[in-house]
Amino acid sequence: MPRRSSLAPVTLAAGLLVGLASLACQQGGETKKTEPKKTETPAVTPPPADEKRDPGTSLDKAVTAIDLAGPVPPDASAVFFTEDGALIPLACYLHDKKKLAGGKDCLKLVKQGDEVYLKSRNSEIVDKIGAPKDSLCEVGSGGTPSSLSVPAVDAGAAFEYAVSPKSLARNVVMLPEDSWSEKKPSLSAEEIAALTALAKVEGELTIRQVALQDLDADNAPEKIVSIFQINPKDSERYTFAGVFVQRSSAPATWIPIQTSTNDTQTYTVYGALDLDGDRNHELWLNAVTTDGSGGERIFQLTKDGATGIGKWSCGL
């Protein structure tokens, strides 16, 4: 009988232990894999719409300026209109005759369908000349209309002035409304005394307007002043009313532009325009009477005074 090896039981036991250890590792010793943590990006909430924002404002819509290119006097004829429910021709430049004119002579320079530029303090447009039409101050006159219709005005729009051709607008300056408000420049005591002497009145003058505007292209402003004095014996009339200009080259001299005594109107200078292209500006005057009526007229300055062009509008 062969001899049993004494190592057999030990070897068997060792093998059994190794097997058990391997089984234990397979059942309880597994290493679990850890998945990377996911980072969620928070949703971006858009800002609320601005309900006060108007998409039609100039921030969202390009504003195109009106092209005022083109010939101006003395290289072309031109008409300056005021507006009162229709376009009233105040004055014009006649290229063929090289002179200023008013009234019917101005109407001959434009025809129905021609472009016309209209300007207010806050807006400007280009429209078309229409048929003859009475202005508001001409209604009931019974005569042939001496004013012109234009679609924008017929629709109710109001403007300070109009010009044809539109290029003439480059030569027009509207004086600031502050010049006839409490914000107007002040006059010195010497200037007031000089104007009082020119008006030949006793007592205090009322300073209606003071404006500074270069009228002769020398880069120095002239002083434009409107004054009046109420008649103490008749509140419906003025002892004196007038407009004077003090040239920058002659600060001690006052040039009378328009004056009246014992009458019913006072004057305001609305603007200045170089209507004939000589680089000297004409003055655009408005007159208002004590009963609320009035009119407008253009004055051409001379060396020592002024000459009215055409007549006062509205029959003043």
Side-chain angles (χ1 to χ4, degrees), residues 72-75 93 100 168 171 274-280 282:
V72 295
D75 299 323
Y93 176 71
L100 296 173
L168 180 62
N171 291 9
D274 182 3
L275 186 53
D276 54 6
D278 66 352
R279 295 175 63 81
N280 290 295
E282 288 70 53

Side-chain angles (χ1 to χ4, degrees), residues 66-95:
I66 293 176
D67 182 7
L68 299 179
V72 295
D75 299 323
S77 295
V79 186
F80 181 85
F81 302 90
T82 188
E83 186 267 306
D84 183 28
L87 301 186
I88 304 171
L90 281 189
C92 56
Y93 176 71
L94 307 177
H95 176 256

Side-chain angles (χ1 to χ4, degrees), residues 5-312:
S5 172
S6 59
L7 295 176
V10 176
T11 301
L12 181 59
L16 181 60
L17 291 174
V18 172
L20 292 173
S22 176
L23 180 60
C25 289
Q26 290 177 5
Q27 291 180 347
E30 285 188 3
T31 303
K32 294 183 179 180
K33 294 182 179 180
T34 304
E35 295 183 0
K37 186 176 181 182
K38 296 181 180 179
T39 303
E40 295 184 1
T41 303
V44 178
T45 303
D50 186 354
E51 296 179 354
K52 296 181 180 180
R53 187 168 179 236
D54 182 1
T57 62
S58 58
L59 296 176
D60 298 285
K61 183 173 62 177
V63 176
T64 304
I66 293 176
D67 182 7
L68 299 179
V72 295
D75 299 323
S77 295
V79 186
F80 181 85
F81 302 90
T82 188
E83 186 267 306
D84 183 28
L87 301 186
I88 304 171
L90 281 189
C92 56
Y93 176 71
L94 307 177
H95 176 256
D96 58 343
K97 297 182 179 180
K98 307 298 181 187
K99 70 173 188 177
L100 296 173
K104 294 180 179 180
D105 287 333
C106 301
L107 291 175
K108 297 176 183 178
L109 299 179
V110 294
K111 63 182 183 299
Q112 191 167 346
D114 283 353
E115 278 191 337
V116 61
Y117 169 91
L118 300 103
K119 170 72 175 175
S120 72
R121 294 277 176 183
N122 302 311
S123 64
E124 57 180 359
I125 67 168
V126 173
D127 210 334
K128 300 288 186 180
I129 294 287
K133 177 185 178 182
D134 282 333
S135 65
L136 294 178
C137 60
E138 295 172 311
V139 172
S141 63
T144 301
S146 59
S147 300
L148 299 171
S149 63
V150 64
V153 176
D154 290 344
F159 299 93
E160 304 291 340
Y161 73 87
V163 293
S164 180
K166 62 183 179 180
S167 50
L168 180 62
R170 305 201 309 265
N171 291 9
V172 180
V173 177
M174 294 178 67
L175 297 186
E177 292 179 298
D178 281 353
S179 69
W180 59 82
S181 76
E182 294 181 355
K183 298 180 181 179
K184 61 180 174 289
S186 59
L187 296 177
S188 67
E190 291 77 13
E191 290 174 323
I192 293 174
L195 290 168
T196 303
L198 288 171
K200 299 179 181 179
V201 297
E202 296 180 359
E204 187 176 355
L205 285 173
T206 297
I207 310 301
R208 163 67 177 157
Q209 179 182 19
V210 179
L212 303 176
Q213 176 64 42
D214 183 7
L215 300 176
D216 52 13
D218 65 352
N219 295 317
E222 275 63 52
K223 186 174 289 186
I224 304 166
V225 175
S226 173
I227 58 175
F228 68 87
Q229 185 189 68
I230 297 175
N231 188 331
K233 298 180 180 180
D234 183 356
S235 61
E236 295 299 313
R237 292 183 176 274
Y238 298 94
T239 305
F240 180 88
V243 173
F244 294 85
V245 168
Q246 183 189 81
R247 294 283 189 183
S248 59
S249 57
T253 302
W254 290 98
I255 301 171
I257 306 303
Q258 168 69 13
T259 63
S260 60
T261 57
N262 195 33
D263 215 330
T264 61
Q265 64 263 16
T266 56
Y267 308 100
T268 303
V269 183
Y270 276 177
L273 60 149
D274 182 3
L275 186 53
D276 54 6
D278 66 352
R279 295 175 63 81
N280 290 295
H281 284 65
E282 288 70 53
L283 291 181
W284 165 26
L285 268 64
N286 167 268
V288 176
T289 65
T290 50
D291 65 3
S293 61
E296 296 175 43
R297 194 179 188 187
I298 302 296
F299 285 80
Q300 183 179 25
L301 275 66
T302 61
K303 183 178 180 180
D304 54 4
T307 301
I309 302 169
K311 299 178 180 179
W312 285 95

